[in-house]
């Protein structure tokens, strides 16, 4: 069935027709060609598809397209402002939090959602926030450090 | 961290903005989607494939089977025994039978359901020991037995050695199937080229040149007709090598059939079912030592489950035979390793490559021997461990590089406060009933690069532009490990400029020569050397052009530093940029090909003797953990890892490799296991196949040791693999330190800790399946 959804992604208004059996992940990637958001498992386990929906980090592989109607969404593509990396992104690059980069968009969005609510989180809070984001490359240490540093710079 | 040594990852920007395109992110005009139909049985004859019904479905553009493969039906890195499309028989549950190309993935699913395959189930063998029995059927017709490979190693006289021993210990160890679990699943897009019978293939392909060979062979075209372009890689760890050749062939056959671009992205389930795993090993160690702790003899017998295909089994098991006795001087050695065919999922390359299994066993054994002798494992290792000039089991004298085993051990012991912790934990454990704490160490040596496995040479193009910016293109691939950054840094250092001036072009078999595979932690050592050579050629040409401007009497007086080209005699200097411009207008070719061939190595296959690798690295790790004896949960509170990397060219990246490897090693030791039952994998997604999350361990303390190696670029050598191979034995030793009980199987799962055994049902014999 074709459905008609209206939503805001990274500050841009969208008004699109899509199929009701699509996942939000597919709408972002295939319909909007915002391919920064990745798929790693399709069952809500790896966090690669994490986006921010109305202020909450969610796995976009677990959300049906229709649910996105009238919501405000932010994806990794929305982090950079006016050609400048956000502090969070900059710290990811500088501190070795990125290797293959496939988990990175999801990691960034989980971290961003945390920082929006809790600008200067503790290491434990950071670990809690990214516990649903799997990374096979980095051993997480430099990711946690990058988020921590971003928090400290928010002070 | 030393801030100066922190270099910024050159592909960081695109990866944190979502701009980096992985293969799944690419779209082509008129592109179709492909999917694979896999076998219903672990071993079966294929009698008939009927896909008429599938073709009737709207949106289905093509169905292909083995019949549609125009060239040879097989591929293989070492031997051509692997069918991208099962031809007469399916040999394991992940074998591809047919593939479809459709307008959407959803239509693909429907098309697959409409294909009707008639099978005749054959008796299957899932157990290596059953496979070796005389009466067992031969699984692979092109071999004359189910024993696919055998590597022996003989040194001295083991019987004599055991006779002169005061203590003899025999132990058997078992390891499991493990999944690479890179977060990006396999993806390929095959695009028909403009010229006849030409194809461009984009993909998460770890070794583009190897994949090209397989595709050209099966498509029946010359190598030049196939161009493999590597997209950004979402992790590989050895896992995107021949598995990707298989996928590339499947996609290419679909593209030929439909004459349209075809994209195939495996779901996580397909990724786990289809592609190779780490080899499970059965290892029997017999060791003889004298009272004073000197090892007299070691006898090692190992079996590796190769599954249904040969893949990298020969090279993997060869590394095991070279390193089986560990970093210890042993006069008398007898080692044998066999690679066995079964109808299990096939096994192949995986970070570590035949070392994690043996190190797990041999380092656990060392601790147990020490215990029996009443000494600490560290002491036993100090007595027997390699020192400068020591001789290996294959009679190679360790010289020409720094043998830093003792240094690695000393540093990791100091950092972890190993001996004091041991005392502390003794006191703690005496008081605590439920929670027990332990600390354990392991150490290793590792041959760098391919060794006597094969031809070891690679190239790189360094192309300096008239404005001083630089392109680098190398025959080895960025898999996430930071190779682009490391190579750029190596080139930038030659020119005395900042790494941000360099761009690394994607690997494309059309533009760069076959430089062998990106495996065996050989990139920095081999590829880095090629980059350095290429850069030096260009540097010398630039020198020649600016000689006049700088009024230099000799080219040796010209140096490249801090973005300047300087005559050290008269202090005249110009900007590097300016120098490039001068060379450019001087008509100089400021692009050069660097080619590096590894020093010769040699191996006598009959007796397993010879200088296997031209240089080695050394490392040592310690695990400090808490066991909850009620639930069986083991938590690594602190892990320490000391590795000699020669020179940490990319320091941030070096730390990242250590953190990542240690955590993979924890997963390997503690909970990762592909559950294969009767040839079928039961845990096919990440909800059942667990990889470590950020909450599964405490802290990791990396210790970077730098003893520059004469063979490496600026002394740098291997790191990727050593980091993963040590944790499982360190954990095993720590668990036994905590519980006063030893375990002989990984993963050391919860049930084993609590009940002493695994609560799992036994496999059926294939014939009863
Ligand atoms: S793809 Fe959504 S959680 Fe893995
Ligand atoms: S950087 Fe590769 S999965 Fe996280």
């Amino acid at each position: 069935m074709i459905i008609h959804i209206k939503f805001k992604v990274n500050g841009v208004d969208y008004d699109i027709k899509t199929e009701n059996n699509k996942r939000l992940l597919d709408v972002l990637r295939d319909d909007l060609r915002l391919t920064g958001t990745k798929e790693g498992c399709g069952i809500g386990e790896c966090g690669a598809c994490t986006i921010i929906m109305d202020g909450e980090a969610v796995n976009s592989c677990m959300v049906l397209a229709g649910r996105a109607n009238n919501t405000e969404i932010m994806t990794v593509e929305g982090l950079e402002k006016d050609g400048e990396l956000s502090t969070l992104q900059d710290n990811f690059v500088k501190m070795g939090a990125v290797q293959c980069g496939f988990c990175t968009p999801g990691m960034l969005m989980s971290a961003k959602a945390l920082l929006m609510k809790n600008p200067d989180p503790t290491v434990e809070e950071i670990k809690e926030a990214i516990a649903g984001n799997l990374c096979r490359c980095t051993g997480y240490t430099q990711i946690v450090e990058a988020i921590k540093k971003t928090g400290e710079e928010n002070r | 961290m030393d801030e100066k040594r922190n270099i910024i990852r050159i592909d960081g920007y695109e990866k944190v903005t979502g701009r980096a395109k992985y293969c799944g992110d690419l779209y082509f005009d008129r592109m179709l989607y492909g999917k694979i139909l896999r076998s219903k049985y672990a071993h079966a004859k294929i009698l008939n494939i009927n896909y008429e019904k599938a073709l009737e479905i709207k949106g289905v553009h093509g169905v292909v089977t083995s019949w549609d493969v125009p060239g040879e039906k097989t591929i293989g890195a070492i031997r051509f025994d692997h069918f991208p499309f099962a031809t007469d028989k399916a040999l394991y549950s992940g074998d591809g039978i047919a593939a479809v190309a459709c307008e959407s993935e959803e239509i693909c699913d429907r098309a697959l359901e409409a294909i009707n395959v008639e099978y005749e189930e054959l008796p299957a063998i899932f157990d290596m020991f059953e496979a070796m029995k005389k009466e067992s059927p031969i699984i692979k017709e092109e071999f004359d037995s189910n024993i696919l490979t055998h590597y022996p190693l003989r040194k001295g006289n083991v019987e004599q050695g055991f006779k002169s021993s005061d203590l003899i210990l025999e132990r058997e160890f078992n390891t499991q199937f493990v999944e690479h679990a890179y977060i990006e699943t396999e993806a390929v897009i095959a695009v028909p080229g403009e010229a006849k019978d030409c194809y461009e293939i984009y993909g998460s392909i770890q070794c583009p040149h190897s994949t090209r060979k397989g595709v050209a062979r099966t498509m029946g075209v010359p190598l030049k007709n196939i161009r493999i372009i590597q997209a950004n890689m979402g992790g590989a760890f050895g896992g995107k090598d021949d598995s990707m050749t298989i996928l590339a062939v499947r996609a290419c056959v679909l593209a030929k059939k439909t004459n349209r671009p075809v994209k195939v992205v495996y779901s996580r389930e397909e990724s786990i079912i289809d592609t190779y795993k780490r080899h499970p090993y059965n290892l029997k160690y017999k060791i003889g030592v004298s009272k004073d702790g000197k090892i007299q003899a070691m006898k090692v017998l190992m079996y590796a489950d190769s599954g249904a295909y040969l893949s990298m089994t020969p090279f993997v098991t060869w590394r095991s035979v070279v390193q089986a006795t560990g970093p210890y001087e042993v006069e008398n050695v007898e080692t044998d390793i066999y690679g066995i065919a079964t109808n299990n999922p096939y096994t192949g390359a995986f970070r570590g490559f035949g070392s994690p299994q043996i190190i797990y066993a041999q380092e656990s054994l060392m601790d147990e021997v020490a215990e029996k002798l009443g000494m600490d494992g560290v002491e036993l290792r100090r007595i027997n461990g390699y020192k400068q000039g020591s001789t290996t089991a294959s009679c190679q004298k360790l010289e020409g590089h720094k043998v830093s085993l003792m240094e690695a051990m000393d540093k990791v012991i100091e950092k972890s406060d190993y001996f004091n912790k041991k005392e502390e934990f003794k006191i703690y454990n005496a008081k605590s009933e439920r929670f027990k704490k332990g600390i354990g160490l392991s150490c290793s040596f590792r041959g760098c690069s391919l060794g006597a496995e094969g031809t070891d040479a690679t190239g790189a193009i360094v192309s300096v532009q008239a404005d001083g910016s630089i392109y680098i293109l190398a025959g080895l691939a960025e898999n996430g490990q930071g190779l682009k950054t490391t190579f750029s840094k190596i080139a930038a250092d030659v020119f005395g400029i900042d790494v941000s001036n360099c761009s690394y072009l994607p690997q494309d078999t059309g533009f760069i020569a076959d430089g062998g595979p990106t495996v065996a932690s050989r990139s920095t050592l081999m590829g880095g050397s090629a980059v350095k050579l290429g850069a030096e050629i260009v540097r010398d040409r630039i020198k020649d052009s600016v000689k006049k401007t700088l009024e230099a009497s000799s080219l040796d007086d010209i140096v490249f530093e801090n973005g300047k080209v300087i005559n050290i005699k008269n202090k005249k200097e110009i900007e590097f940029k300016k120098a490039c411009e001068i060379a450019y207008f001087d008509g100089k070719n400021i692009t050069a090909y660097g080619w590096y061939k590894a020093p010769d190595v040699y191996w006598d296959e009959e007796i397993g003797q010879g200088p296997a690798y031209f240089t080695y690295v050394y490392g040592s790790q310690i695990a400090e953990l808490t066991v909850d004896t009620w639930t069986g949960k083991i938590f690594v509170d602190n892990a320490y890892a000391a590795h000699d990397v020669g020179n940490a060219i990319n320091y941030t990246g070096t730390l990242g490799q250590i953190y990542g490897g240690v955590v993979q090693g924890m997963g390997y030791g503690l909970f990762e296991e592909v559950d294969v039952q009767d040839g079928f994998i039961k845990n096919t997604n990440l909800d059942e196949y667990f990889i470590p999350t950020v909450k599964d361990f405490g802290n990791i303390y990396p210790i970077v040791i730098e003893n520059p190696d004469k063979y490496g670029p600026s002394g740098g050598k291997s790191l990727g693999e050593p980091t993963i191979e040590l944790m499982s034995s360190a954990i095993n030793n720590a668990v036994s330190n905590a519980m006063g009980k030893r375990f002989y199987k990984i993963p050391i799962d919860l049930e084993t800790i609590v009940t002493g055994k695994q609560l799992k049902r036994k496999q059926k014999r294939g014939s009863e399946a």
Side-chain angles (χ1 to χ4, degrees), chain A residues 19 21 29-30 33 35-43 45-46 48 76-80 83 85 89-90 92-96 98-105 108 124 126-128 130-131 133-142 144-145, chain B residues 6 8-9 12-13 15-22 24-25 27 33 106 178-185 233-235 237 268-269 350 479-481 652 655-657 659-661 663-664 672 685-687 689 691-695 697-698 700:
Chain A
E19 277 130 74
N21 63 357
R29 288 180 53 84
D30 294 338
R33 290 289 158 91
T35 54
T37 306
K38 307 296 183 210
E39 172 163 2
C41 69
I43 57 163
E45 282 292 326
C46 74
V76 68
E77 287 92 345
L79 287 175
E80 194 187 15
L85 293 185
Q89 288 169 305
D90 198 39
F92 261 60
V93 175
K94 283 197 184 127
M95 303 189 66
V98 180
Q99 285 190 30
C100 81
F102 205 78
C103 71
T104 308
L108 284 166
E124 279 321 303
I126 293 169
K127 287 189 178 178
E128 192 58 48
I130 61 166
N133 291 83
L134 297 176
C135 173
R136 191 58 154 169
C137 302
T138 64
Y140 305 102
T141 309
Q142 289 156 310
V144 173
E145 286 169 3
Chain B
N6 180 14
I8 310 271
R9 210 187 155 95
Y13 174 79
K15 287 180 173 174
V16 296
T17 51
R19 288 168 192 248
K21 295 283 183 217
Y22 298 78
D25 305 335
Y27 295 81
Y33 295 84
E106 197 227 315
V178 189
E179 167 65 30
H180 303 80
Y182 20 70
I183 305 300
E184 179 206 28
T185 58
M233 299 282 295
F237 318 114
R268 177 61 60 184
E269 286 81 4
F350 192 156
N479 296 324
Q481 79 278 46
T652 322
L655 298 182
Q657 283 290 308
Y659 291 130
V663 172
Q664 278 186 6
E672 287 187 38
N685 205 324
L686 300 171
D687 56 338
Y689 185 87
I691 65 171
T693 71
V694 69
K695 292 182 80 177
F697 59 92
I700 301 168

Side-chain angles (χ1 to χ4, degrees), chain B residues 518-560:
Chain B
T518 307
V519 299
S521 305
R522 69 193 278 266
S523 341
T524 300
L525 188 60
M526 297 294 301
S529 296
V531 169
K532 186 154 183 271
L533 289 171
E536 284 168 354
I537 296 171
V538 179
R539 182 197 59 195
D540 292 345
R541 290 178 189 157
I542 297 175
K543 274 189 187 180
D544 195 56
S545 289
V546 299
K547 197 175 159 202
K548 234 202 241 137
T549 320
L550 293 179
E551 293 162 16
S553 46
S554 152
L555 292 185
D556 293 340
D557 296 341
I558 302 175
V559 296
F560 290 62

